[in-house]
Amino acid sequence: MDERRIDAVVLDWGGVLTVPVPAFIEDWLTGENIDRERYGATVRGWMGRDAAPDNPVFRLETGELTTHEFEALLAAELVTLDGREVASTGLLRRMFGSARPDPAMVDLVRGLRADGITTALLSNSWGEGYPEDLLLELFDTIVISGRIGLRKPDPRIFEHTLDRLGLPAHRCVFFDDAPVNVEGARAVGMHAHRHTDAESTRAVIDQLRGAAA
């Protein structure tokens, strides 16, 4: 008897299907000798819970800003520890340079698809640096914020994803490394959990799958 509680697993990209965000950001900060205080203050102002709705990150993630426009704005806020300017051209590519897929998570998603579980990607995009071949292999449905003009945690992007899946919220589980996005998914009725590592995420999925695990 199939007693599973979920039919689909929905996952974020950066920090969930990849190595942790702090790890690849640290590689970039160290490699370019970026002033961490300046970077941290900028990110908090643009991504914190009190960030203005028209800030550059929100506009990038909804496709209102091009990658080049965003890179210019971000580079203008940064400086190296020895006082040099930070080059804007290719800034996002350099920032995400070591954001490699997490092999354990790739294996997890492959196993889910092999077991008949529907898989979906739901990602707030900072440009289009996704490994498209891998996405097509891993996911039945791909929802990227900049392509549809909506971003997490807006409830409309979760509803859009559910519509694409053709499933009710309570039959889907969502994983993200950002608590605010987990809260957004729960608000529309999805099972939602903060991702920290493949082992704990697998445990949550197995629990939700019940006897089908």
Side-chain angles (χ1 to χ4, degrees):
M1 179 178 178
D2 186 356
E3 298 178 3
R4 70 186 184 195
R5 296 166 57 195
I6 57 167
D7 296 305
V9 175
V10 184
L11 302 124
D12 178 37
W13 178 253
V16 176
L17 263 294
T18 74
V19 297
V21 173
F24 64 75
I25 291 296
E26 178 61 27
D27 287 345
W28 164 67
L29 292 171
T30 300
E32 297 200 22
N33 202 30
I34 303 291
D35 185 321
R36 285 168 172 75
E37 290 188 10
R38 287 280 290 271
Y39 171 76
T42 300
V43 169
R44 287 190 296 274
W46 289 1
M47 299 186 68
R49 289 181 181 267
D50 297 326
D54 62 346
N55 76 75
V57 168
F58 287 23
R59 292 164 63 202
L60 173 69
E61 291 180 340
T62 55
E64 296 175 47
L65 282 180
T66 68
T67 299
H68 296 306
E69 290 169 336
F70 178 81
E71 288 175 332
L73 292 171
L74 179 57
E77 299 292 330
L78 302 179
V79 68
T80 66
L81 289 172
D82 54 1
R84 292 178 292 107
E85 293 183 356
V86 175
S88 64
T89 301
L91 179 54
L92 289 180
R93 176 182 51 77
R94 303 196 311 273
M95 285 179 66
F96 289 81
S98 62
R100 299 174 299 276
D102 177 356
M105 284 300 296
V106 170
D107 287 345
L108 173 57
V109 179
R110 283 177 175 147
L112 291 172
R113 290 198 81 181
D115 288 346
I117 297 291
T118 298
T119 59
L121 176 74
L122 175 52
S123 175
N124 282 354
S125 57
W126 284 40
E128 283 285 347
Y130 299 94
E132 291 292 338
D133 289 345
L134 182 61
L135 297 194
L136 292 173
E137 176 195 347
L138 296 181
F139 299 107
D140 299 288
T141 296
I142 298 171
V143 178
I144 294 176
S145 66
R147 299 179 185 178
I148 62 170
L150 297 170
R151 64 181 294 278
K152 298 173 293 185
D154 187 331
R156 293 175 297 172
I157 198 168
F158 295 106
E159 292 162 355
H160 173 86
T161 303
L162 293 169
D163 287 344
R164 291 274 306 275
L165 291 169
L167 292 168
H170 71 277
R171 301 296 298 185
C172 304
V173 62
F174 172 68
F175 293 92
D176 201 294
D177 58 324
V180 67
N181 295 335
V182 173
E183 294 165 12
R186 286 178 180 163
V188 302
M190 301 174 75
H191 301 280
H193 298 268
R194 186 178 185 186
H195 172 85
T196 55
D197 55 65
E199 182 178 357
S200 60
T201 289
R202 183 187 295 275
V204 170
I205 294 170
D206 287 348
Q207 181 181 31
L208 288 169
R209 292 177 68 191

